[in-house]
Amino acid sequence: MKSLLLAAAAASVLAFAVPAAAQAPQPTPAEAKAFIDRAEAELKEADAFASRAAWVRANFITEDTGWLDTKASAEQKALVTRLAKEAARFNGVAVDPVTARKLMLLKLYMTLPAPDRPGAPAELAGLSTKLNSIYSTGKFTWRGKTLTLNDAEDVLRTSRDPAELKAVWEGWHSVAPVMKADYPRLVELANEGSRGLGFKDTGALWRAGYDMSPDEFTAEADRLWTQVEPFYRNLHCYVRARLNEKYGSAVQPRTGPIRADLLGNMWAQEWGNIYDVVEPKGFSAGVNLEKLLVAKGYDPVKMVKTGEGFYSSLGFAPLPQTFWERSLIVRPRDREVVCHASAWNLDGQDDIRIKMCTKVTAEDFQTVHHELGHNYYQRAYKGQSVLFQGSANGGFHEATGDFAALSAATPTYLQQIGLLDTAPAADQDIPFLLRMALDKIAFLPFGLLVDKWRWQVFSGEVTPDTYNDAWWKLRLKYQGLVPPAERPADAFDPGAKYHVAASATYERYFMARIYQFQFQRAACAQAGWKGPLHRCSIYGQKAVGEKFNRMLELGQSQPWPQTLSVFTGEARTDASAVTDYFRPLNVWLTQQNRGERCGW
Ligand code: X8Z
Ligand code: ZN
């Protein structure tokens, strides 16, 4: 693996080989360091302003908060572009490794970098805010009622009527075509900005965040997918058969792809909501977390408090009082907000908050742990300087809370916190693992394809007239899914997914679904766990928590393989942790699928 840091150091050696007389005066390493110090101070100030504007807009979407957010974001983009350009002066200077890494990270600072010309940062920031707001305020009419995404998701989760599912699925996707007017321009501007920073396109910039070249990252993602693909195909085959039995061949044929609206989730990215449809026969009834939460009187705040309790048991300090005062935990009735869950740190120190429209469901129990993981990570690396305040790579940030949730999902833990009254029967492993696989394994192809689509868009391989076809080609290839009916000519289905509308990168979720199992395997070994990996809970294991926090504290101060080895002793992304965890289920699925024509 070639790291960008090594590439920068090699370039500096070459530069020194050129005779001094042929060169403009070389800036010194000390000047480079002074520049970075100044840059970090400027970034900190711009961030403080931009993140407050973004928070206010996300909590109160109006024309005016959009205007303020756009202005702050445009200023931040202009600053980063200017700094990155200035940083180019130090190309070839033999700077110390810390400064070299910061110079590299400066170029990766913006997800959508702006071109270096007047008006461009404002135009790009404006498009970005606008698309996010269209998504977040999106509504459609169904049976005479106006539905938000939250309402639509409730139908997808609970309805077992294929006509209803189709209508609501199509209804939500009808909010996206209007975005198609702006998306190509956003792509064009971000690409121009990325090229100005020396990247081939914005997709290459995103892939450069993994301490390897963009092409190496593409190959790495493909390698990992190959490790888990057979398992996904097994799960697909099993679920398709159960859907066929439930709905009949006219709705879901026994062979070929699965209809995307039947899987309990708007994007068919996690399938745990249809556990009742695919529940294995011959086992005692599995744990129904949603029922337990409701029965025990959980409300959204109690869900978050419970999440906090898990982290406290690992030795993490309690959330600050300001977290409870400033977070948004319930969807407000009287104003528009960005409901897609997120975690924030407003000041780079202790002002951590979450913003989510929490429902008392199994899905949100998981999401609460996910979001808090971001907050504990942010707080752990607050001692790092601005350019090192981030996760080892994007996957680490997304994996942290999911790692906690792996323990929090175990029946042992649910019993420890009084959610489950009786110990689960000894034969519950397969139902439990199936429930987990519906979320964890089903997600993998989706986690990969969202940015496969964007990489193609940014590279120009996919153009606006083929946006939607290319999307469904990937949905079919990786997930084995088709839409419930032919899509209209103006459809822009990628835009019906938050991260596309909001330009948030997605490959990190794919990586996170692997890292979280590596973290879990290492954590359980540290705790001396001898049983099967899926039954391990690290609740209360303070020594594990302390070691985990030591990894988090490093932020992005060094290449991620070094950081990963601090906690796991492994320096490579390794999907064998996923297959280890699910091994008994894969054997069982293979037996169940006997006689089926798997694949699509
Ligand atoms: O977006 C999220 C989090 C916020 S970082 C709620 N997730 C992805 C998604 O919802 O698509 C978590 C799982 C994948
Ligand atoms: Zn997240």
Side-chain angles (χ1 to χ4, degrees):
M1 188 187 68
K2 192 183 79 185
S3 91
L4 291 175
L5 212 59
L6 286 174
S12 72
V13 173
L14 284 178
F16 273 104
V18 178
Q23 291 195 346
Q26 273 269 12
T28 64
E31 282 169 332
K33 191 172 175 311
F35 163 76
I36 279 294
D37 289 346
R38 185 166 48 80
E40 288 194 297
E42 286 189 59
L43 286 174
K44 197 171 169 184
E45 202 182 320
D47 283 357
F49 187 54
S51 59
R52 274 179 170 75
W55 174 265
V56 171
R57 184 195 65 89
N59 281 271
F60 184 28
I61 303 175
T62 66
E63 172 63 27
D64 304 321
T65 57
W67 187 92
L68 290 166
D69 186 7
T70 297
K71 187 167 163 59
S73 164
E75 283 170 12
Q76 189 189 33
K77 283 184 194 298
L79 170 69
V80 175
T81 301
R82 174 169 65 71
L83 291 173
K85 215 177 142 192
E86 271 186 61
R89 283 201 302 130
F90 303 105
N91 288 347
V93 176
V95 297
D96 63 277
V98 167
T99 305
R101 186 164 179 82
K102 287 184 174 176
L103 286 166
M104 183 268 287
L105 290 170
L106 182 59
K107 291 192 200 167
L108 304 178
Y109 204 71
M110 301 302 311
T111 306
L112 298 179
D116 184 22
R117 51 185 174 75
E123 187 184 358
L124 181 54
L127 290 172
S128 179
T129 309
K130 182 179 169 192
L131 290 172
N132 184 315
S133 295
I134 292 173
Y135 182 98
S136 301
T137 60
K139 289 178 196 66
F140 62 97
T141 309
W142 181 57
R143 293 186 178 157
K145 277 198 300 207
T146 303
L147 263 55
T148 63
L149 174 59
N150 274 178
D151 303 326
E153 286 184 285
D154 285 343
V155 177
L156 267 285
R157 186 174 77 250
T158 55
S159 170
R160 301 292 176 252
D161 173 344
E164 238 173 61
L165 291 168
K166 173 173 179 282
V168 171
W169 187 97
E170 287 176 339
W172 172 249
H173 285 76
S174 74
V175 307
V178 63
M179 297 178 196
K180 216 174 142 181
D182 293 317
Y183 199 75
R185 180 70 181 150
L186 177 136
V187 168
E188 194 178 16
L189 288 169
N191 271 343
E192 191 187 335
S194 304
R195 287 181 191 128
L197 297 174
F199 296 95
K200 218 164 61 188
D201 56 55
T202 305
L205 182 148
W206 291 2
R207 297 195 300 279
Y210 285 82
D211 296 303
M212 59 181 89
S213 74
D215 287 350
E216 283 167 327
F217 181 74
T218 308
E220 179 68 352
D222 289 340
R223 175 183 74 82
L224 294 164
W225 170 239
T226 313
Q227 269 189 292
V228 292
E229 186 185 3
F231 197 167
Y232 176 74
R233 287 184 168 256
N234 259 347
L235 184 68
H236 179 282
C237 190
Y238 172 81
V239 167
R240 185 182 59 194
R242 302 294 83 75
L243 289 170
N244 169 260
E245 282 155 11
K246 166 98 183 158
Y247 293 117
S249 296
V251 171
Q252 178 57 62
R254 191 82 175 197
T255 56
I258 299 179
R259 228 178 86 165
D261 55 332
L262 302 179
L263 291 157
N265 172 281
M266 188 58 78
W267 309 275
Q269 63 183 63
E270 279 146 346
W271 306 347
N273 290 331
I274 59 151
Y275 181 76
D276 57 308
V277 178
V278 303
E279 194 168 24
K281 295 193 179 70
F283 296 92
S284 52
V287 172
N288 183 333
L289 184 55
E290 180 171 335
K291 260 198 191 145
L292 294 176
L293 291 167
V294 172
K296 300 280 176 186
Y298 272 59
D299 60 22
V301 173
K302 185 154 185 206
M303 302 252 289
V304 182
K305 292 259 181 210
T306 305
E308 180 190 30
F310 182 87
Y311 289 92
S312 297
S313 88
L314 296 181
F316 286 87
L319 295 165
Q321 184 54 30
T322 51
F323 171 92
W324 300 104
E325 290 161 5
R326 298 171 191 174
S327 288
L328 179 99
I329 294 176
V330 184
R331 184 185 184 112
R333 254 184 286 179
D334 55 355
R335 63 180 205 264
E336 296 282 7
V337 301
V338 178
C339 263
H340 189 86
S342 55
W344 301 57
N345 186 341
L346 277 283
D347 65 353
Q349 292 299 309
D350 293 309
D351 191 353
I352 47 180
R353 316 172 187 178
I354 59 167
K355 186 181 61 53
M356 64 181 280
C357 302
T358 317
K359 297 176 191 172
V360 181
T361 62
E363 198 174 324
D364 275 0
F365 189 73
Q366 151 88 27
T367 305
V368 160
H369 290 81
H370 176 95
E371 296 309 329
L372 291 182
H374 287 308
N375 278 159
Y376 287 105
Y377 205 160
Q378 289 159 341
R379 197 169 57 176
Y381 59 59
K382 70 177 183 182
Q384 297 286 347
S385 60
V386 174
L387 284 162
F388 285 167
Q389 288 196 355
S391 52
N393 66 41
F396 279 55
H397 232 308
E398 301 305 333
T400 294
D402 284 6
F403 158 57
L406 285 179
S407 289
T410 60
T412 313
Y413 171 72
L414 298 178
Q415 205 188 4
Q416 278 169 320
I417 62 164
L419 263 170
L420 202 58
D421 293 329
T422 49
D427 70 349
Q428 280 303 304
D429 277 12
I430 292 297
F432 173 77
L433 281 172
L434 180 61
R435 179 71 182 73
M436 294 300 283
L438 290 171
D439 285 342
K440 303 293 181 184
I441 302 292
F443 180 80
L444 289 160
F446 185 74
L448 184 63
L449 78 81
V450 173
D451 276 358
K452 286 238 175 223
W453 181 80
R454 276 190 297 201
W455 298 342
Q456 292 175 355
V457 167
F458 283 124
S459 78
E461 191 185 333
V462 165
T463 50
D465 51 316
T466 54
Y467 276 171
N468 217 50
D469 290 345
W471 174 255
W472 282 105
K473 234 169 126 178
L474 290 165
R475 296 269 269 168
L476 179 62
K477 177 175 176 195
Y478 287 99
Q479 286 185 289
L481 300 184
V482 285
E486 203 183 317
R487 301 299 295 137
D490 68 346
F492 180 49
D493 297 328
K497 176 66 195 163
Y498 178 74
H499 301 70
V500 174
S503 291
T505 63
Y506 213 80
E507 86 299 315
R508 57 206 168 109
Y509 301 103
F510 173 72
M511 299 302 284
R513 291 282 148 138
I514 296 164
Y515 289 134
Q516 62 191 261
F517 290 97
Q518 280 182 270
F519 295 170
Q520 181 73 350
R521 186 165 65 179
C524 294
Q526 286 162 30
W529 176 256
K530 296 281 182 277
L533 191 52
H534 62 271
R535 277 196 223 150
C536 166
S537 159
I538 57 155
Y539 181 59
Q541 299 282 346
K542 293 219 162 37
V544 175
E546 198 185 306
K547 190 164 179 187
F548 189 65
N549 197 49
R550 279 211 290 280
M551 174 173 78
L552 303 187
E553 279 169 0
L554 291 165
Q556 52 184 346
S557 62
Q558 58 183 22
W560 66 263
Q562 280 163 250
T563 304
L564 180 64
S565 39
V566 166
F567 184 63
T568 64
E570 298 165 17
R572 223 178 166 218
T573 317
D574 181 7
S576 77
V578 181
T579 38
D580 278 0
Y581 182 100
F582 286 106
R583 179 154 295 119
L585 180 70
N586 206 18
V587 171
W588 183 84
L589 283 174
T590 308
Q591 287 164 0
Q592 301 302 305
N593 290 337
R594 232 173 253 149
E596 298 291 338
R597 272 183 40 214
C598 293
W600 52 86

